[in-house]
Amino acid sequence: MPPQSVFSGPCAAPLQPRVDGSVAERLARSAAATDGAVMRTDDFAAWFAERRAAHPFRVERIPFDRLEGWFFEDRTGDLVHRSGRFFTVEGLRVTVDEGRRGDWYQPIIRQPEVGILGILVKEFDGVLHLLMQAKMEPGNVNLLQLSPTVQATRSNYTKVHRGAAVKYLDYFARPGRGRVLADVLQSEHGAWFLHKSNRNMIVEACDDVVVEEDFCWLTLGQIGQLLHHDNLVNMDARTVLACAPVAAALSDTLSGTLSDSASAAPGTVAADACGLFARALHRSQQPSAGALHSDAEMLSWFAAERSRQDLVARRVPLRELPGWRRRPDVIAHTDGLGFRVVAVSVEAASREVARWTQPLIEPNGMGVMAFVTRQIGGVLHVLVHARVEGGFLDTVELAPTVQYVPGEFVAAEHPGGRPPFLDLVLGAEPDRIRYEAVHSEEGGRFLAAQSRYLVVEVDERDAPLREPLGYRWVTPGQLSWLVRHGHYLNVQARTLLACLNALAGGVR
């Protein structure tokens, strides 16, 4: 039916529905499709191995004086690129509640550009497929991972590097090139980036799409299956997947499909518990099922959390960071805290530039990111944390129940103590784990940054209804509603939301 006008005469204007409900339904059908019309799921591993073999990749640690185009600025000691673009490594002082909840100095990546993370979709045999890319990033432990169609900073897609053009960029950068299904600014890691945001976009192609090398069409359900593999679906893909407006339609479209698929791996949970979890997860996507806290109450709590946090993050010269020392090949804390800044030389024939050097941040070890969940009135809830990080644009974002990286600087209600719920998650029995996989963090800026992502189901004894200060029980459906807007969920919570949506889509 064509848009209707509520006016007549020369000022008449066509109106259209504010929300197209068919988008969520079509994405939900794609989530239920665990095999594709273009590539069979059983053929993916061979295709991915072929793409890995097609290009030589090499990453080598180097001293800072071998960086090409990068230098330490005389006045500040900041690590900058001669073009004045890409990013800089600077110093930051973070003070929380006048030091009572944290006071530290650290290096930070400052990249004021807004990048594009975009997935192109197109319908085949009545099912939406997503165009994914086998992309090499120097920080990935296995180098090649599955990424969005477009994953590019402004410096990259404006070709500051004087390399090849970014494939499929027009669909995301040129208005009207395709139909926008999702478009939202989201943050990156607030502990390592200062005020960094990317556009997370899903665009439907309305024309024929030529599939270039290193790209393939997969359904949302196929990608959901791949999310159960370690270090395969990269961070940029996961954050865009979390923004897909699919949750509202999952329970209606996929009723009955989840009960066999809620476990992270065969045999990790008893069938009865798996089925109960599945049904609770399904109900959590339905607004009519209710929640422990209404949407208005949740937003009010979040606004209060942002208001009560007294955080001052001030840029300082990198050379003046107390406790940090620069050596020929590393910038590190004298007590081993935080992380390290290192340099690498990269060769990757499949990238827009085949060879380059750059700094990377290297964490101290593998992180742990977990949602603690429980059923409340037959509806699944997750315990989120209003987390303060020095690099956040708005001070606080909703984070997983547990977000832990060894030695990381954090603002805590009780500095120096163990993070709440960490021991509960680490000690969870296998039959309590509903999802588990190791995923890489952003491979373009972080070296070998990996985290163990978990969804753990508990009961009243381990996680009472009365939440600790800074925590709140919310439903996955409420998180899916919030993630349509920027700077509510941090990047680690968005990964876990994408994994929960994969479970709700009926994948194993």
Side-chain angles (χ1 to χ4, degrees):
M1 178 181 296
Q4 300 295 309
S5 173
V6 296
F7 301 106
S8 60
C11 294
L15 300 183
Q16 56 185 321
R18 289 177 55 200
V19 178
D20 183 353
S22 69
V23 172
E25 294 170 1
R26 295 167 70 210
L27 285 166
R29 285 198 297 271
S30 182
T34 55
D35 222 337
V38 182
M39 177 183 288
R40 296 182 64 251
T41 304
D42 290 343
D43 296 333
F44 174 82
W47 175 84
F48 199 71
E50 176 187 304
R51 300 325 306 157
R52 186 185 302 279
H55 307 290
F57 301 129
R58 183 170 175 268
V59 177
E60 176 191 4
R61 291 275 290 266
I62 60 173
F64 291 122
D65 62 10
R66 283 182 55 195
L67 284 170
E68 300 172 5
W70 297 85
F71 64 96
F72 289 100
E73 194 176 57
D74 290 338
R75 184 176 59 86
T76 63
D78 294 349
L79 185 52
V80 303
H81 192 266
R82 65 187 174 202
S83 67
R85 301 288 296 278
F86 297 110
F87 61 93
T88 60
V89 181
E90 305 179 359
L92 190 74
R93 183 183 182 182
V94 180
T95 306
V96 185
D97 285 353
E98 299 181 339
R100 290 186 294 273
R101 294 180 54 222
D103 186 357
W104 68 87
Y105 292 83
Q106 66 167 90
I108 195 101
I109 294 175
R110 181 170 176 266
Q111 188 172 2
E113 309 172 337
V114 174
I116 293 177
L117 307 178
I119 295 179
L120 190 65
V121 303
K122 187 173 176 61
E123 204 167 89
F124 295 94
D125 291 349
V127 176
L128 283 176
H129 287 60
L130 291 70
L131 188 62
M132 306 300 289
Q133 178 184 183
K135 187 180 181 73
M136 181 271 193
E137 292 287 359
N140 291 338
V141 290
N142 53 356
L143 298 183
L144 194 73
Q145 295 190 14
L146 200 63
S147 85
T149 319
V150 168
Q151 176 183 319
T153 65
R154 185 186 298 273
S155 290
N156 284 341
Y157 67 74
T158 57
K159 299 200 282 189
V160 173
H161 51 44
R162 300 180 183 176
V166 175
K167 294 180 175 68
Y168 305 106
L169 177 65
D170 274 1
Y171 285 100
F172 305 94
R174 201 174 87 193
R177 186 71 169 83
R179 181 190 180 201
V180 176
L181 306 186
D183 189 355
V184 58
L185 281 177
Q186 297 287 9
S187 63
E188 287 212 36
H189 294 73
W192 298 333
F193 277 110
L194 181 63
H195 301 169
K196 179 72 172 73
S197 296
N198 291 310
R199 285 179 76 181
N200 287 235
M201 304 180 69
I202 301 174
V203 174
E204 183 176 6
C206 303
D207 54 6
D208 292 333
V209 178
V210 176
V211 178
E212 303 281 354
E213 281 190 345
D214 299 321
F215 292 81
C216 70
W217 292 108
L218 298 170
T219 68
L220 197 51
Q222 288 177 294
I223 299 169
Q225 289 181 315
L226 299 178
L227 278 168
H228 289 284
H229 295 264
D230 292 348
N231 293 312
L232 181 52
V233 180
N234 81 354
M235 185 217 78
D236 298 294
R238 300 192 305 266
T239 178
V240 179
L241 293 171
C243 298
V246 62
L250 281 172
S251 55
D252 294 332
T253 305
L254 306 171
S255 180
T257 66
L258 182 62
S259 59
D260 296 328
S261 61
S263 62
T268 57
V269 289
D272 287 347
C274 178
L276 289 172
F277 177 88
R279 289 189 285 275
L281 177 56
H282 255 195
R283 282 191 287 270
S284 75
Q285 306 288 0
Q286 302 172 356
S288 60
L292 183 62
H293 303 287
S294 71
D295 293 353
E297 290 170 344
M298 176 184 62
L299 287 174
S300 177
W301 166 79
F302 186 62
E305 284 295 313
R306 277 187 167 168
S307 300
R308 82 176 177 91
Q309 306 293 351
D310 178 18
L311 179 141
V312 178
R314 181 170 59 88
R315 291 163 57 195
V316 298
L318 186 62
R319 71 187 315 160
E320 297 178 9
L321 291 181
W324 291 82
R325 181 183 174 192
R326 190 179 101 199
R327 298 197 294 271
D329 60 350
V330 66
I331 300 171
H333 196 278
T334 53
D335 293 333
L337 299 175
F339 49 82
R340 296 170 291 278
V341 180
V342 299
V344 295
S345 172
V346 185
E347 295 179 11
S350 61
R351 292 291 299 267
E352 292 85 5
V353 174
R355 182 183 177 279
W356 73 94
T357 62
Q358 69 169 95
L360 290 172
I361 279 181
E362 182 181 34
N364 281 326
M366 182 176 292
V368 177
M369 313 295 165
F371 270 159
V372 168
T373 74
R374 61 170 294 185
Q375 298 177 40
I376 302 174
V379 175
L380 191 73
H381 285 66
V382 303
L383 190 63
V384 294
H385 178 208
R387 184 178 174 93
V388 176
E389 293 190 359
F392 283 156
L393 189 63
D394 290 318
T395 306
V396 170
E397 294 190 13
L398 295 181
T401 322
V402 172
Q403 180 178 322
Y404 171 74
V405 178
E408 188 176 48
F409 298 105
V410 295
E413 299 294 341
H414 306 289
R418 294 278 283 179
F421 303 102
L422 176 61
D423 293 329
L424 172 65
V425 167
L426 294 179
E429 295 294 331
D431 64 357
R432 288 290 188 175
I433 298 173
R434 303 297 184 249
Y435 174 88
E436 180 177 13
V438 174
H439 292 302
S440 294
E441 304 302 337
E442 217 288 303
R445 297 291 178 266
F446 313 138
L447 180 62
Q450 302 177 85
S451 299
R452 182 184 173 207
Y453 281 85
L454 301 104
V455 175
V456 177
E457 188 173 18
V458 300
D459 52 27
E460 172 70 19
R461 179 188 58 190
D462 294 319
L465 287 183
R466 185 172 182 178
E467 307 101 335
L469 181 65
Y471 291 80
R472 212 65 164 181
W473 288 111
V474 302
T475 69
Q478 288 176 309
L479 293 182
S480 293
W481 173 63
L482 282 177
V483 83
R484 296 186 223 165
H485 310 280
H487 304 287
Y488 278 97
L489 273 66
N490 76 356
V491 68
Q492 293 89 347
R494 295 197 302 273
T495 280
L496 285 167
L497 180 60
C499 296
L500 279 174
N501 285 340
L503 292 177
V507 299
R508 297 186 69 89

